[in-house]
Amino acid sequence: MGNVYEIYAIRYATMSPRTPHMNHFLPDPHETAAQDLDYFVWLIRGGGRDILVDTGFNAAEAQARSRKLTLNPVEALARFGVKAESIRDVVVTHLHYDHAGNLDLFPNARFHLQDREMSYATGRCMCHGVLRHPFSVEHVTLMVRHVFSERVTFHSGDGEVAPGVTLHRVGGHSDGLQVVRVETARGPVVLASDASHYYANMHRRSPFPILYNLGDMFEGWDIVARLAGDVDRVIPGHDPIVTEIYPRASDAVDSYSLHVQPSRSFREIALEKAKR
């Protein structure tokens, strides 16, 4: 195998409790409880470089949106041994508040973003409160400043950050949402971000209720499945199951190794949940 990377999920915040209607557009009427919502950033390591996927949110945003922030993602990275100023490439999967905060804390980074996401976040759709709600005007404005500072690489559909690290626009949740396909020792792993908040969204064909285009969301699941080639190589954006089936990567920070085989298959977990 050529270019092989390690991938780490770093959990920095959570939201609890949740109800089924918060996690599914059309929840099962028999369900009365729902999984917590975990927040992650992802670190890709290999070839002598670190690539960060998403930048999380800070304490002010956590307070404004009633989220429990355990640790600012920048501090979490530092405890993992990665200084913010050493990051040269940051993939922003989309510009929602929990994926595009802290953009001012990576002074040497180039940001990778889909054309359609910038157009969406600065265009007429932001005149509508429901569509605007997941965005922060401060984050979007800062990304515009990075554009004017020539620090943004725009992608249209498919793109590449490094050999073996590719980007793919799926839309759905946000118009320019992109997923990241990473070559690892266990095969291609897809960081699905919010193409599927939970494993259950994708595999029950049950959308998360925050969305822009329902048709694109369904098509996006097929794209993710094709890119990964196996359900256990798809990493959802907010699912606590990730912390249950992947090994801890550090005692200093809440982090998990995604480039190794999970201890259990999602198929097993799904079957157990169906029997309950």
Side-chain angles (χ1 to χ4, degrees):
M1 187 177 290
N3 299 286
V4 175
Y5 297 86
E6 298 175 350
I7 314 173
Y8 300 96
I10 300 175
R11 181 168 58 177
Y12 68 92
T14 190
M15 182 188 180
S16 177
R18 306 274 297 181
T19 59
H21 80 274
M22 298 171 74
N23 292 352
H24 295 277
F25 186 60
L26 294 173
D28 185 331
H30 300 97
E31 292 183 347
T32 59
Q35 291 172 287
D36 292 348
L37 193 74
D38 280 352
Y39 295 87
F40 300 91
V41 297
W42 299 273
L43 183 68
I44 302 169
R45 312 192 86 169
R49 66 193 297 177
D50 290 330
I51 300 169
L52 181 65
V53 178
D54 290 339
T55 54
F57 57 79
N58 62 17
E61 199 72 37
Q63 182 176 10
R65 295 182 183 261
S66 300
R67 290 352 184 214
K68 181 181 178 182
L69 181 72
T70 305
L71 195 64
N72 185 285
V74 172
E75 176 61 26
L77 285 167
R79 294 189 186 186
F80 199 73
V82 179
K83 295 181 179 179
E85 57 267 28
S86 72
I87 298 288
R88 294 294 188 269
D89 290 285
V90 174
V91 175
V92 180
T93 62
H94 59 303
L95 287 169
H96 284 179
Y97 80 94
D98 53 324
H99 296 261
N102 300 305
L103 294 174
D104 56 333
L105 300 182
F106 298 90
N108 301 310
R110 173 159 291 274
F111 299 92
H112 296 263
L113 187 70
Q114 287 284 323
D115 282 312
R116 289 178 67 157
E117 186 66 3
M118 181 58 84
S119 296
Y120 177 54
T122 57
R124 65 175 63 195
C125 285
M126 295 301 101
C127 296
H128 307 293
V130 171
L131 296 178
R132 185 175 65 242
H133 179 71
F135 293 90
S136 162
V137 65
E138 287 78 14
H139 300 164
V140 174
T141 301
L142 189 51
M143 185 61 81
V144 171
R145 291 185 178 278
H146 288 331
V147 172
F148 275 70
S149 299
E150 300 183 9
R151 295 181 57 197
V152 178
T153 295
F154 284 105
H155 300 270
S156 179
D158 296 341
E160 183 180 76
V161 180
V165 180
T166 54
L167 309 177
H168 307 270
R169 184 259 169 191
V170 296
H173 177 67
S174 186
D175 193 37
L177 173 66
Q178 59 185 349
V179 301
V180 188
R181 184 180 189 268
V182 185
E183 292 292 346
T184 75
R186 69 180 179 111
V189 170
V190 175
L191 299 175
S193 183
D194 289 359
S196 192
H197 281 61
Y198 298 92
Y199 281 113
N201 294 129
M202 177 176 174
H203 296 287
R204 284 168 44 181
R205 313 293 285 187
S206 176
F208 193 79
I210 298 176
L211 54 88
Y212 169 69
N213 186 302
L214 185 59
D216 280 356
M217 179 168 282
F218 279 95
E219 293 293 328
W221 293 333
D222 294 336
I223 293 170
V224 167
R226 183 172 65 252
L227 290 170
D230 186 279
V231 65
D232 289 322
R233 294 203 299 264
V234 175
I235 310 299
H238 294 270
D239 200 323
I241 289 177
V242 168
T243 68
E244 299 171 12
I245 65 176
Y246 288 97
R248 286 188 66 92
S250 169
D251 292 330
V253 68
D254 199 7
S255 56
Y256 303 86
S257 300
L258 307 180
H259 49 279
V260 300
Q261 291 288 351
S263 60
R264 301 176 64 199
S265 168
F266 167 74
R267 295 183 183 90
E268 297 175 5
I269 296 171
L271 184 60
E272 288 178 5
K273 289 182 179 294
K275 290 179 178 178
R276 290 176 185 172

